[in-house]
Amino acid sequence: SCKKDSAKENEDSEYYVKFKMDGTWITWTNGLAELGPDLDDNTKTNFSFIGHNPGGSEMFGISFQVDGSAISQGTYSSDDYYMPIDYTTGSGNNMKWYSMQTNQAPYSSYTVTLSAITNTTIKGNFTGNFLVNDSDENDKVSITEGDFFLKRIR
């Protein structure tokens, strides 16, 4: 029965979030994506994905919003769209929250390319430069590229 349980845990192993942080590739198999109308304003459409490490102590996610009722395959830039990007590590009082630096130069800049959208999955990639610790502007992480293939929850 242990083998059966182990196999069950790996059922979703085809799904992944992979990214290069500070020059090192990281791959997580826990994550989800969504694409659909904004729940507060149906004149806008939202996309987001989030992934986390096996213990749940690190998370990385990107989202963006467009005007209109659809997001199609293509490339979306933080220069053109509101695009929150977050990386968190730790928990409780030891939690660090990194996000885009938009209040001073140099600015964070990211692009997301959606390459395949189905009713059940979303696949794409992204490029960018860095995120800054919300509590310490001198603490930065370079998340420069990555790709994802995730189960779509809506």
Side-chain angles (χ1 to χ4, degrees):
S1 93
C2 289
K3 288 183 182 179
K4 185 176 182 183
D5 290 344
S6 177
K8 185 175 182 180
E9 288 175 12
N10 293 326
E11 279 179 355
D12 293 336
S13 64
E14 68 181 299
Y15 301 119
Y16 63 87
V17 173
K18 181 175 153 181
F19 58 98
K20 188 184 263 188
M21 183 168 68
D22 294 330
T24 301
W25 280 101
I26 297 169
T27 301
W28 295 335
T29 56
N30 300 304
L32 295 170
E34 69 170 339
L35 191 157
D38 183 271
L39 300 177
D40 291 325
D41 183 349
N42 65 5
T43 67
K44 299 182 182 302
T45 303
N46 299 333
F47 163 79
S48 67
F49 80 80
I50 191 162
H52 64 85
N53 69 344
S57 62
E58 293 178 83
M59 289 183 274
F60 175 70
I62 298 177
S63 61
F64 63 86
Q65 183 179 75
V66 302
D67 291 327
S69 61
I71 291 177
S72 57
Q73 290 178 203
T75 300
Y76 300 85
S77 170
S78 62
D79 294 339
D80 301 321
Y81 299 97
Y82 176 62
M83 187 177 287
I85 301 172
D86 295 299
Y87 169 73
T88 59
T89 183
S91 62
N93 291 336
N94 296 320
M95 181 173 250
K96 292 182 181 181
W97 192 292
Y98 297 82
S99 56
M100 292 184 61
Q101 180 165 293
T102 57
N103 61 341
Q104 65 183 12
Y107 299 104
S108 299
S109 179
Y110 280 82
T111 61
V112 175
T113 300
L114 302 179
S115 56
I117 302 169
T118 72
N119 288 333
T120 58
T121 63
I122 300 178
K123 183 175 187 173
N125 61 68
F126 59 90
T127 59
N129 53 7
F130 67 93
L131 302 175
V132 177
N133 183 328
D134 290 356
S135 300
D136 178 359
E137 66 185 35
N138 296 312
D139 181 13
K140 298 178 182 178
V141 293
S142 294
I143 299 179
T144 55
E145 61 187 292
D147 58 279
F148 54 91
F149 177 65
L150 293 168
K151 183 175 184 175
R152 181 177 175 178
I153 58 172
R154 72 174 188 118

